[in-house]
Amino acid sequence: MFTGIVKDVGALDAVQRRNGGLRLRVRHTGSEAFSGLSVDESVSVNGACQTVVASGEGWFEVDTVEETLMKTTLGSLRNGMPVNLERALRPIDRLGGHFVLGHVDCVGEVSSVRELGASRELWITYPPVFNAYMVPAGSIAIDGISLTVARLGESSFAVAVIPFTFGHTTINGLSPGSRVNLEFDILGKYVERQLHAASPAASVSRIDEGWLRENGF
């Protein structure tokens, strides 16, 4: 489990194909937040929970399986590309963002980026089958960054990004057309599941994997 508070911006160092999946080597800055990183730890890489399978001074490797490649943007990463990094939450840590599992739901697309004084406003579109999980002022994880939904549109939403977040995450490299990993708030998923268990007709959004694949998500 994570909080969506990015601790380091690393970079992809190497990609190796392995049995339909990928072995990714990620280089981090060696900050205190990543000191003592060891094999079998969970690390969020652009919002996707990955298990460390090898590590060394300033780097670690993860095996990204087919399911993760299908639901995230990790398969499109290339050498040198920056990635948001966060280690798993410890019971003694402050919960500065929200509960983020690292289980990416889908890939969204940035439709616009504009300056609003000192902040930036990003609009992002997503598959309409996830509409039930979005509420104004609710939480959303974008490439592993915990943000607040500022406005809702038709299968789209806006977030306001403060200067610190803009300067210390990969969000400063996004532009219209950029694809991002989205994880919707786990609370909404539990509510929908309970409603569906009580009455199947009450469920307003069932995730259709075939629809996602056919539409390029």
Side-chain angles (χ1 to χ4, degrees), residues 9 32 199:
V9 175
E32 183 179 350
S199 172

Side-chain angles (χ1 to χ4, degrees), residues 23-156:
R23 169 70 63 94
L24 305 179
R25 173 174 285 204
V26 178
R27 187 162 294 280
H28 56 82
T29 63
S31 64
E32 183 179 350
F34 278 81
S35 64
L37 185 69
S38 61
V39 171
D40 287 340
E41 277 197 51
S42 293
V43 175
S44 171
V45 179
N46 272 3
C49 180
Q50 301 284 275
T51 300
V52 176
V53 297
S55 65
E57 188 65 32
W59 62 271
F60 64 89
E61 293 182 349
V62 298
D63 285 332
T64 303
V65 298
E66 294 93 327
E67 180 73 8
T68 302
L69 294 174
M70 182 181 73
K71 290 186 175 181
T72 73
T73 62
L74 295 191
S76 63
L77 293 176
R78 298 293 180 266
N79 286 355
M81 294 182 69
V83 288
N84 295 319
L85 301 176
E86 182 187 357
R87 291 175 77 171
L89 177 68
R90 300 173 299 179
I92 62 171
D93 289 336
R94 292 183 179 89
L95 183 60
H98 71 284
F99 286 122
V100 178
L101 303 185
H103 301 160
V104 174
D105 292 299
C106 67
V107 173
E109 183 173 313
V110 177
S111 57
S112 69
V113 180
R114 69 187 184 108
E115 293 187 18
L116 292 177
S119 66
R120 304 293 199 286
E121 181 187 71
L122 274 70
W123 275 94
I124 295 174
T125 61
Y126 60 90
V129 291
F130 295 98
N131 280 336
Y133 302 146
M134 298 295 289
V135 295
S139 296
I140 183 75
I142 302 174
D143 277 348
I145 308 164
S146 175
L147 292 165
T148 300
V149 176
R151 287 191 284 166
L152 284 177
E154 188 66 31
S155 300
S156 64

